[in-house]
Amino acid sequence: MRDAIITLDGATRRFKRGHAVITAVDAISLAVERGTFTAIMGKSGSGKSTLLHLMSGLLTPDAGRVELLGNDAGQLSDNDLTLLRRDYIGFIFQFFNLLPSLTAAENVALPLLLARRPRGQALSRAREMLATMGLADRVDHKPDELSGGQMQRVAIARALINDPPLLFADEPTGNLDSVAGEEVLLLLKDLQTRQGRTIVMVTHDAKAAAYGDRIITLRDGRVQQDIATGGVAV
Amino acid sequence: MSVKHGILGILADGPRHGYELKTQFDGLTGGLWDLNVGQIYSTLERMRKDGLVALEESGEGADERKTYRVTDAGREELDGWLQAPPLRPRPLRDEFFVQLGLLIDRNRPAALALINGVRRVHHLRLASLTRQKVLLARSQERGRIHRELLLDAALLHVEADLTWLDRCEERLGALGGGPQAERPPP
């Protein structure tokens, strides 16, 4: 692989369900190259969320290896993994995960505030970030005063505040209407093609996956199909 | 059929050469309708015989020199057509339907492999349509809304095809019920 930002080598993750053991991710090997947009598809229960968590260091493998940004994720302490995620990885979720009592700017600034950066500096950086998302007039609004598409753009601004090279999106359009969903997908595409970030997105929507330049379909914890769409150069 | 009516609609704005008609027809269909200039000329010739279009005096000679205009009968035909919802919008005719029919009882593994192959083709088609959509979204092109809607139509149809392929696969009995449960380690 030319320049892999994530490498899985026989990565396996099991869960107990009652007395049974479920192999959610079953010896998957794959590499994600820097600057690419990978979509992971599959029905619920296919293992796609577990795979995303393994790829992003939220879970470590029971067997096999996950190399994340040059680190063997299985060998890192919980604290080191947390720092790795904080400094190099952005997360975007289906339900936005914004704090309802904070304004848009405060939500976006939160990762900086948690890292004990000066409040004024953090907030002005957050406002700038929101302006680039077309939300300059929404910085002092609380989440419940925003539309779904606006909330997701706030969440993306928050994911970008530390300027991470790697972004994970878990069903980012799952809670949006089709117009707002497309705006979010276009934004993610821009983050890849214009800013060179690496994007890994889980989705069950084939139309959303079509924004990726690679589509991996999972079934029963294994890769069923791995399609290069040849779509990097947009 | 609507090549004829598309031509009438374009000519309603003023006389055109065959090649201009082809370019504008492509614009109307977002380039999603494969039509060559020969088909335009043959359709025009038929329409001329039916009295729907007429040749302009100046443009006689070879096909590419000819300029056509719409006749009164042509306008009437166009107005009627524009108000009539098409009754047979899209024939369900696909090479794969025949392949599936031949394989389904004779060679089920081959049918399943073919389903995967077709799924790949559909994902590539979705990606290609999406690229056009991304480019369109970044441009300020005129007639953007119509083109966007056409791309949406194509995307949603391919999505329906993918959903149907999942159904085929399920019915062929290949679909396991989620992750495999194993015995707990002793």
Side-chain angles (χ1 to χ4, degrees), chain A residues 21 24 29 43 56 60 83 95 119 139 154 167 171 184 213 230:
Chain A
V21 174
S29 299
K43 296 192 183 335
S56 58
T60 52
L83 292 177
F95 295 104
R119 185 176 168 84
V139 291
V154 171
L167 284 174
E171 299 276 9
V184 163
D213 35 60

Side-chain angles (χ1 to χ4, degrees), chain A residues 46-80:
Chain A
S46 62
K48 57 189 194 296
S49 290
T50 307
L51 179 63
L52 190 82
H53 292 162
L54 281 177
M55 291 170 93
S56 58
L58 286 167
L59 284 173
T60 52
D62 298 319
R65 224 174 97 90
V66 174
E67 198 179 298
L68 179 56
L69 294 143
N71 302 275
D72 182 343
Q75 300 298 312
L76 291 179
S77 68
D78 282 352
N79 190 46
D80 286 342

Side-chain angles (χ1 to χ4, degrees), chain A residues 73-138:
Chain A
Q75 300 298 312
L76 291 179
S77 68
D78 282 352
N79 190 46
D80 286 342
L81 269 175
T82 303
L83 292 177
L84 188 70
R85 287 196 303 266
R86 190 192 73 186
D87 293 336
Y88 297 100
I89 299 177
F91 289 92
I92 300 156
F93 306 93
Q94 178 174 1
F95 295 104
F96 324 126
N97 296 16
L98 300 175
L99 293 180
S101 60
L102 300 184
T103 65
E106 288 165 341
N107 266 291
V108 173
L110 200 58
L112 298 176
L113 297 173
L114 293 175
R116 301 182 190 229
R117 303 275 281 277
R119 185 176 168 84
Q121 201 186 72
L123 282 172
S124 77
R125 177 102 180 270
R127 288 201 180 87
E128 280 169 33
M129 187 63 84
L130 284 166
T132 67
M133 303 276 157
L135 292 170
D137 57 344
R138 291 286 183 275

Side-chain angles (χ1 to χ4, degrees), chain A residues 19 21-23 41 43 45 182 186 190 193-194 205-207 210-211 219-220 224-225 227-231 234, chain B residues 116 119-120 123-124 126-127 130-131 133-134 137-138 152 156 159 162 166 169 175 178-182 184-185:
Chain A
H19 289 293
V21 174
I22 307 291
T23 305
M41 290 194 72
K43 296 192 183 335
E182 278 177 19
L186 270 175
D190 279 349
T193 56
R194 299 191 169 171
D205 177 358
K207 295 197 302 317
Y211 284 77
R219 173 181 301 161
D220 299 342
Q224 185 205 10
Q225 206 159 26
I227 302 173
T229 66
V234 169
Chain B
N116 260 333
R119 186 185 279 126
R120 177 184 295 266
H123 277 300
L124 292 176
L126 277 185
T130 300
R131 273 197 290 284
K133 226 178 136 147
V134 171
R138 289 174 181 173
D152 282 339
L156 290 164
E159 185 187 37
L162 279 166
D166 286 346
E169 197 170 48
L175 212 61
Q180 284 155 359
E182 290 163 13

